[in-house]
Amino acid sequence: RLFDELLALSERGRSVMIHNTEGDLHIFHYGQLIQNNSSWEASTLLARGLVLRRDAATGATEVVAMPWPKFFNLGEDGLTLKELAARTEGGGHVEVTSKMDGSLGLVFHVEGGWRVCTKGSFTSEQGRWATSWLSQHVDISALAVGTTYLVEIIYSDNRIVIPCKTGSICVHASHATDL
């Protein structure tokens, strides 16, 4: 059902839902119209680089890489700081982090190997660079199949704002790929 919902949105155009494929892999990322209009639904909140495998013969779908769901900057979701603070009382959790100046990458295992994609593309320059870096600098035997690693891809040719002299990927989080 999730696959069909996202596919239907992508048929309305890239401004609604970005959809790219590579063989039986599909990546979905919400488009600018959804962002600008705040037209969030459960499916679009998950579509922040969600990678699904769809078997063409059977229609069976499985999650291959699971990104963070859409998160909101303070005020974007209509909550004030006071309301947010009230939600953290009694065990709620708020995490404030530094913004690294790179691109979000999803590290996942597929077809016998590890690779990195960005939230909207299997073939981005950043994803190709990070896949190469991963194979040269990381003991991949330490990575767990069935886990998505969310990383920041940082290198000099990927300057967003702050210049960087060296390259690396920085792990933000990891989690199981099942929904």
Side-chain angles (χ1 to χ4, degrees):
R1 177 173 165 234
L2 174 62
F3 180 88
D4 295 328
E5 287 179 30
L6 296 174
L7 189 61
L9 285 169
S10 73
E11 290 169 354
R12 293 174 42 198
R14 290 182 66 81
S15 62
V16 177
M17 181 65 61
I18 298 164
H19 173 226
N20 288 303
T21 61
E22 183 178 279
D24 62 353
L25 296 178
H26 299 259
I27 190 167
F28 293 96
H29 178 59
Y30 56 79
Q32 203 62 47
L33 273 177
I34 289 175
Q35 175 83 27
N36 291 348
N37 296 333
S38 294
S39 48
W40 300 108
E41 300 173 13
S43 61
T44 56
L45 289 168
L46 291 174
R48 195 164 180 266
L50 180 64
V51 179
L52 303 173
R53 174 179 286 140
R54 177 75 166 224
D55 185 296
T58 66
T61 304
E62 68 175 318
V63 177
V64 176
M66 181 73 168
W68 277 308
K70 165 67 176 147
F71 55 86
F72 299 92
N73 292 317
L74 183 61
E76 280 184 334
D77 59 356
L79 286 177
T80 66
L81 182 57
K82 185 176 181 177
E83 292 167 322
L84 184 61
R87 287 188 177 189
T88 64
E89 293 175 7
H93 179 76
V94 173
E95 183 175 344
V96 179
T97 62
S98 298
K99 167 66 175 114
M100 293 182 201
D101 198 29
S103 300
L104 175 64
L106 290 86
V107 179
F108 58 97
H109 191 268
V110 65
E111 298 169 3
W114 289 94
R115 66 179 298 180
V116 185
C117 72
T118 53
K119 62 185 183 180
S121 175
F122 290 115
T123 59
S124 69
E125 178 184 330
Q126 295 90 342
R128 289 191 313 269
W129 182 92
T131 298
S132 174
W133 190 94
L134 184 77
S135 69
Q136 295 172 28
H137 296 91
V138 174
D139 175 6
I140 58 173
S141 69
L143 301 177
V145 174
T147 300
T148 303
Y149 297 89
L150 303 169
V151 302
E152 194 78 9
I153 304 168
I154 304 168
Y155 63 103
S156 60
D157 289 343
N158 190 38
R159 179 178 175 208
I160 308 300
V161 176
I162 302 167
C164 174
K165 290 184 170 61
T166 62
S168 67
I169 59 175
C170 177
V171 178
H172 290 296
S174 64
H175 54 255
T177 57
D178 55 349
L179 287 172

